Amino acid sequence: MRQRRLVGGAAMLGLVAGAGVVAAPAAAAAPTTVHSTGFETGTDGWFGRGDAAVAVSTDEARTGEASLAVTGRSQNWHGAGLDARPFMPAGQYTIEGWVKLPAGAGSDQVSLSVARTPEGGAASYDSVAYQVAVSDGGWTKLSGSYEFAGGVSQLEPYFESPDATQDFFLDDVTIVGEAAAPQEPGTVAPLATDFEDGLQGWGPRGDALVERTTSDAHSGSASLLATNRLQNWQGPAIDVTRNLAVGQTVQVTVWAKLAPGQGSASLRASIQRDRGTQTNYENIGGASAVVTDAEWTRLRGTYTLGAPIDSAQLYVEGDAGKSFLIDDVTVAPFAETPIQDVPALQDVLGAQGFEHVGVAIDSRETVGRAAQLVTKHYGAITPENDGKPEVVQPTEGTFDFTNLDRLLDFADATGTDVYGHVLAWHSQTPAWFFRDGDRNLTSSPADQAILRARLEAHIKGIADHIDARYPDGDSPIWAWDVVNEVIADGDNANPHDMRDSRWFQVLGEQFVDEAFRLADRYFPEAELFINDYNTEMPEKRADYLDLVRSLIQRDVPIDGVGHQVHVDFARPVEWVGDSLAGVERLSAETGRPLLQAITELDVSDSKENNGADVSNGTVPQHSPAYADDADAAAELGYYWRDLFEVFRDHSDSLESVTVWGISNARSWLRTWPAARPWEQPTPFDDDLQVTPAYWGIVDPSRLPARPADVSPPRIAAKDPVLATSTGVTGAEVTYTPPVTGDTRDGAIVPTCDTQSGALFPIGTTTVTCTATDRAGNVATPGRFDVVVTPPATTTRLYQQINNGPVVRANAKQTVQLVVQFGNRGKGVLLGDTFQYSCTQTAGAPMSLELAPGSARQVGNRDYPAGQNANVTLRGTPTQVGTASFDCTLSMTDALGAPVTATTSVTIDVRK
Ligand code: XIL
């Protein structure tokens, strides 16, 4: 594993904009060189920081005759600095300079940093190029990109060395960049549209049609009507390029109502941001709701632009086909409440033995208050979406690392570790992976070769990029989700109940092996994880462990087992503990050390238990468990308390805990699969303030009083119980009842309608179980099947009709056929289950029936050696010709298995 880089100075928050003036970014301007010096004619503004002295020297020069000698240093931050404020307005830059050590100094390290103090704020020391190896043998380039937003009272690029007294030469420094638009005093331009005098800049998106209407209004007399919305993303849109700025949080408010007759729909406000050839879509955290045609509903949330843009649009989207009205839309600067001075999660949990305490983010969390929160509380990040196949390789062979690099820049600047997510997954993976032109790949060897090559190209493409970024091997990516969500929820025909994904359909189980082997080849330093949701569900846990055991048996290079832990607060925490213990046991049994990671922790306060299957539809599937959000928050606090108790019990194997989202407003549960405004799934509220969930982790004594218990017990799914009949009536089957647990009461024994040990008939019997907790909450019944099948029969039947296959008969005269038959094996030949019947297969129609009472047993040879019997068949032919029949003798043997014997007979009818 990589050495964790200790980045100098208390505040290394390079990308955080300070409070104060933030300018709207300009449309992409050509980069210009704002500073360039070879120190040929002087020090060009460079000065000695601290005790350091700088002077033009001709002892060394990379180009020309001279360079800058830096001497007299006595602390690591001493060195050569430059006041860049006059020529570096807020924007994006590349800073570079060349360094060489004096002859005889051997090798050492030099860093390039920027000391930056936001107006009215505290200084931070941003890293541009960190501890680059330099020597006396040649010139080494230090360079990196640097970006900042907002007004500053200090902006000082400088070269320093962790070796406090090392002298060095500096030459050929350039600063090239693209300044943000000229700063206006104040803040970003607010937006307010009420449609009273027209569309006020709004227009249609996609096929949608928009018009001003006076048929309804939230205020005044007009609103905007959006119709013809053929897809979710279509609706009204407005340019907000001038209303956003990097690091400036805005509050967005939209009033919405469905058009008459449209029922209800999930609507949300989103931002499209464009930069060069890149387009990103982001929901405005908090701005989603279920909207009806009965009343105006407010969508309100906050949004922080995380990266420079050429342009941005605000739009309102939601369930396709629904026509809706919007009114009184505002975008206005939002003063976020400062981050609280509370214990940092990473300190509290770090002291309890958790190596990595992380959070899922995207670029919005690399700026502003959110970035402060990330760096205070978390020591690791997971790219929430920016490492997924659809983002990294949207079309075959075209890799796009813009978004991922932004997060890596942030990680580098702040000394944060990165958990890579995800190399192979069925979701958020472009369709081209599994197609050959218009054709779906099959499991043919040729198609398998195509998909294998793509898997390798994808993993190698990412690795090449990372290796180029970190030639010294100090990538912040400490782990990867190699495969994600490969186990299905419930039973299927695949080994280990594997998900029937396109990966599985083409490559089978082997795709998992292949992905790990490739990840191991291209990311030899990273810890390689398998990852899934619902791993705490007893049935899925068994399948998951079963697959991991097979991987170990096949010597697949797997290092760890990930548990997403997208749970709800009625899911018993003991189940999570049982899964962690299960992996520990597997590790002990197989002798293979396995790390564990909680990879995507969030806790839903919905009643339902719908997990995190992203392939489910978008229809509303959830409803709030508590009417009062404060009650839900309090109950969540207790759940987080109990969950972390469980985690602590397993801190030896648990290497990492990652929360899925920086705040409740930014949690995916708010919009997935439909608007869920009540959800409070993370330890921080919409305004980044701590919640009871936070105190549940850090100090449960500060939890509010616990509300009434409204959560019923949970009855886990159970695989069918299989049994073999021991007689014709079935079998007595004993079973263990389905695992049943309750968040507040712990384990519960359910009551089932057919008891264990009862006689189950041959066939499938569904057992229904119920459970009630102490508060009287009744579980949704759990059902499982008991399937009783007879054993393979050892009984043989035989028969013969009239000593031969052809029987002579005369038309209009009754013909009698004698069937002699017998049984070798177990069972009574002429018992209750005996049946005999003939079906005509050819010839003129004629009936052939068993003569009533004709069946009788012959001889006295009896069971078990065998029995013989005969019956008489009777028919009256009406036509001349041949008539053919298949005659079947059947019975059930002593253990309930059906046995049959069929013989053909032809009746030749003459005059
Ligand atoms: C989610 C993201 O949070 C959403 O922004 C996105 O729209 C869908 O995916 N399991 C996973 C994550 O492994 O990648 C998913 O993340 C949540 C479920």
Side-chain angles (χ1 to χ4, degrees):
M1 204 192 304
R2 154 187 103 103
Q3 289 280 308
R4 198 188 151 97
R5 292 153 308 151
L6 292 172
V7 182
M12 275 309 305
L13 245 178
L15 300 166
V16 176
V21 180
V22 179
T32 48
T33 302
V34 296
H35 177 81
S36 170
T37 176
F39 304 108
E40 296 304 313
T41 56
T43 53
D44 282 331
W46 288 82
F47 59 86
R49 277 170 61 86
D51 296 337
V54 298
V56 171
S57 162
T58 51
D59 289 350
E60 290 284 0
R62 179 178 166 266
T63 57
E65 308 293 336
S67 65
L68 189 75
V70 184
T71 55
R73 300 174 61 251
S74 63
Q75 289 200 44
N76 56 4
W77 58 271
H78 295 174
L82 176 73
D83 177 8
R85 258 181 319 162
F87 51 80
M88 271 179 80
Q92 261 191 316
Y93 298 88
T94 301
I95 309 178
E96 100 174 32
W98 293 77
V99 170
K100 187 178 181 187
L101 298 187
S107 60
D108 210 324
Q109 292 172 322
V110 171
S111 300
L112 166 57
S113 312
V114 178
R116 178 179 55 85
T117 308
E119 269 158 17
S124 62
Y125 304 91
D126 308 334
S127 176
V128 178
Y130 187 68
Q131 295 192 356
V132 176
V134 296
S135 76
D136 59 0
W139 289 88
T140 303
K141 182 166 86 170
L142 276 71
S143 96
S145 54
Y146 183 69
E147 182 176 347
F148 72 103
V152 290
S153 57
Q154 181 202 22
L155 190 74
E156 214 172 281
Y158 64 100
F159 290 81
E160 60 179 339
S161 170
D163 182 343
T165 57
Q166 179 66 58
D167 295 344
F168 56 85
F169 294 97
L170 175 64
D171 204 359
D172 297 337
V173 182
T174 55
I175 304 178
V176 179
E178 187 186 308
Q183 295 186 16
E184 297 160 23
T187 166
V188 291
L191 173 93
T193 53
D194 59 9
F195 309 108
E196 294 305 310
D197 60 359
L199 286 175
Q200 299 172 338
W202 286 83
R205 191 173 160 80
D207 299 302
L209 301 172
V210 300
E211 60 183 289
R212 176 177 176 269
T213 177
T214 51
S215 63
D216 198 348
H218 172 252
S219 72
S221 57
S223 61
L224 176 148
L225 171 65
T227 55
N228 201 47
R229 299 183 47 259
L230 305 186
Q231 301 204 43
N232 285 4
W233 53 270
Q234 301 182 344
I238 189 169
D239 186 286
V240 288
T241 312
R242 302 285 312 162
N243 313 101
L244 302 176
V246 174
Q248 166 73 63
T249 298
V250 292
Q251 184 172 62
V252 178
T253 305
V254 177
W255 285 90
K257 184 177 179 181
L258 294 198
Q262 299 284 289
S264 72
S266 285
L267 296 186
R268 63 187 186 216
S270 304
I271 296 285
Q272 173 181 330
R273 58 181 173 91
D274 288 277
R275 173 77 161 182
T277 56
Q278 259 235 343
T279 299
N280 286 274
Y281 309 95
E282 291 160 337
N283 302 140
I284 294 166
S288 66
V290 174
V291 176
T292 68
D293 58 5
E295 59 179 357
W296 286 91
T297 302
R298 191 179 71 183
L299 311 179
R300 169 173 276 181
T302 55
Y303 177 80
T304 314
L305 188 63
I309 51 170
D310 299 336
S311 62
Q313 289 174 58
L314 164 67
Y315 61 103
V316 183
E317 59 176 333
D319 300 341
K322 300 284 185 177
S323 296
F324 59 79
L325 299 155
I326 58 168
D327 202 1
D328 296 331
V329 181
T330 57
V331 178
F334 180 71
E336 288 168 302
T337 313
I339 301 305
Q340 289 154 296
D341 185 14
V342 289
L345 288 176
Q346 60 174 336
D347 297 341
V348 172
L349 293 170
Q352 295 167 355
F354 299 96
E355 179 83 2
H356 301 276
V357 179
V359 61
I361 68 165
D362 68 23
S363 69
R364 286 172 275 179
E365 283 79 42
T366 63
V367 292
R369 290 259 150 76
Q372 290 173 3
L373 191 85
V374 172
T375 49
K376 174 181 169 72
H377 286 284
Y378 299 103
I381 56 169
T382 299
E384 183 181 9
N385 288 298
D386 293 330
K388 292 176 179 172
E390 70 175 9
V391 176
V392 169
Q393 199 184 173
T395 54
E396 184 159 21
T398 309
F399 286 84
D400 186 339
F401 293 105
T402 318
N403 289 0
L404 191 60
D405 278 348
R406 231 189 139 68
L407 301 185
L408 291 172
D409 286 344
F410 175 75
D412 293 338
T414 55
T416 303
D417 295 326
V418 177
Y419 187 104
H421 177 75
V422 44
L423 298 177
W425 191 22
H426 65 279
S427 185
Q428 291 178 273
T429 299
W432 65 257
F433 262 91
F434 312 107
R435 294 179 78 79
D436 179 17
D438 290 342
R439 192 178 63 82
N440 278 328
L441 296 185
T442 68
S443 59
S444 73
D447 282 2
Q448 288 186 331
I450 294 176
L451 189 53
R452 265 200 216 101
R454 285 181 181 159
L455 181 61
E456 172 157 11
H458 186 68
I459 295 176
K460 178 174 187 298
I462 298 171
D464 286 349
H465 178 75
I466 299 298
D467 291 346
R469 257 190 85 106
Y470 304 101
D472 300 335
D474 59 348
S475 156
I477 303 177
W478 72 274
W480 272 103
D481 280 333
V482 177
V483 296
N484 194 26
E485 304 181 349
V486 302
I487 303 288
D489 294 292
D491 260 346
N492 66 20
N494 295 336
H496 325 291
D497 290 337
M498 282 182 71
R499 179 185 290 271
D500 215 29
S501 69
R502 293 291 292 131
W503 285 111
F504 183 88
Q505 288 167 358
V506 177
L507 291 174
E509 181 175 348
Q510 284 298 315
F511 100 82
V512 176
D513 301 36
E514 188 88 7
F516 274 98
R517 293 193 201 286
L518 290 167
D520 185 46
R521 176 168 341 141
Y522 292 110
F523 292 101
E525 301 299 320
E527 305 290 1
L528 304 180
F529 279 82
I530 189 172
N531 191 35
D532 217 317
Y533 66 90
N534 278 359
T535 64
E536 60 283 345
M537 302 302 251
E539 194 195 28
K540 190 158 175 177
R541 171 201 305 147
D543 291 329
Y544 197 41
L545 292 181
D546 199 48
L547 171 62
V548 174
R549 177 179 287 107
S550 303
L551 296 178
I552 293 171
Q553 280 161 358
R554 294 196 292 267
D555 209 22
V556 172
I558 176 175
D559 300 310
V561 177
H563 308 267
Q564 292 185 6
V565 192
H566 289 293
V567 291
D568 54 89
F569 64 14
R571 203 175 286 201
V573 295
E574 289 81 5
W575 294 5
V576 178
D578 290 345
S579 293
L580 294 171
V583 173
E584 285 161 358
R585 263 197 311 278
L586 180 63
S587 183
E589 260 168 45
T590 56
R592 169 81 73 99
L594 287 172
L595 300 174
Q596 301 203 71
I598 306 298
T599 53
E600 306 182 9
L601 175 59
D602 54 28
V603 186
S604 158
D605 57 281
S606 292
K607 273 196 238 187
E608 295 76 9
N609 176 27
N610 289 336
D613 188 352
V614 288
S615 6
N616 280 338
T618 56
V619 286
Q621 302 167 356
H622 302 84
S623 55
Y626 283 94
D628 177 359
D629 284 348
D631 285 346
E635 180 64 17
L636 281 163
Y638 287 89
Y639 192 87
W640 283 76
R641 176 195 66 178
D642 296 347
L643 196 57
F644 274 79
E645 275 304 307
V646 168
F647 291 166
R648 281 180 205 108
D649 287 345
H650 298 277
S651 59
D652 281 354
S653 66
L654 206 46
E655 180 78 3
S656 164
V657 177
T658 301
V659 177
W660 205 247
I662 185 73
S663 70
N664 293 339
R666 275 282 285 111
S667 165
W668 73 305
L669 296 186
R670 281 283 179 87
T671 53
W672 177 85
R676 294 153 79 176
W678 61 87
E679 292 287 1
Q680 313 175 56
T682 79
F684 298 95
D685 73 10
D686 290 30
D687 196 18
L688 304 180
Q689 307 299 297
V690 300
T691 65
Y694 167 89
W695 291 118
I697 304 171
V698 171
D699 181 3
S701 73
R702 300 192 50 169
L703 286 174
R706 197 163 191 178
D709 180 359
V710 298
S711 298
R714 284 284 161 80
I715 303 178
K718 183 173 166 67
D719 281 341
V721 176
L722 306 180
T724 306
S725 59
T726 52
V728 287
T729 52
E732 285 171 5
V733 181
T734 56
Y735 61 79
T736 50
V739 179
T740 303
D742 183 78
T743 288
R744 290 173 69 154
D745 299 349
I748 290 187
V749 180
T751 313
C752 301
D753 59 358
T754 311
Q755 303 274 316
S756 173
L759 180 68
F760 286 79
I762 292 169
T764 299
T765 306
T766 300
V767 179
T768 302
C769 303
T770 56
T772 306
D773 68 10
R774 277 193 301 213
N777 299 300
V778 181
T780 304
R783 298 197 163 82
F784 67 96
D785 288 338
V786 173
V787 183
V788 179
T789 45
T793 187
T794 53
T795 299
R796 295 266 315 269
L797 292 179
Y798 59 90
Q799 63 166 324
Q800 193 174 39
I801 303 177
N802 262 21
N803 293 319
V806 179
V807 178
R808 293 259 161 92
N810 292 324
K812 303 217 171 74
Q813 279 181 21
T814 301
V815 57
Q816 297 216 124
L817 279 58
V818 175
V819 186
Q820 293 178 296
F821 58 93
N823 163 23
R824 304 234 180 290
K826 296 191 168 73
V828 179
L829 187 57
L830 292 177
D832 291 347
T833 60
F834 172 78
Q835 275 184 341
Y836 197 92
S837 67
C838 297
T839 315
Q840 186 164 6
T841 55
M846 166 183 169
S847 72
L848 192 61
E849 264 142 24
L850 205 62
S854 69
R856 62 197 158 77
Q857 194 158 331
V858 291
N860 32 16
R861 290 172 56 204
D862 214 351
Y863 173 84
Q867 303 153 293
N868 292 310
N870 53 44
V871 292
T872 304
L873 299 175
R874 207 174 274 163
T876 309
T878 52
Q879 286 175 43
V880 171
T882 57
S884 300
F885 297 83
D886 278 349
C887 292
T888 301
L889 160 68
S890 67
M891 57 172 266
T892 300
D893 77 6
L895 299 178
V899 209
T900 62
T902 300
T903 283
S904 301
V905 62
T906 297
I907 301 173
D908 185 3
V909 184
R910 298 176 178 200
K911 262 205 172 142

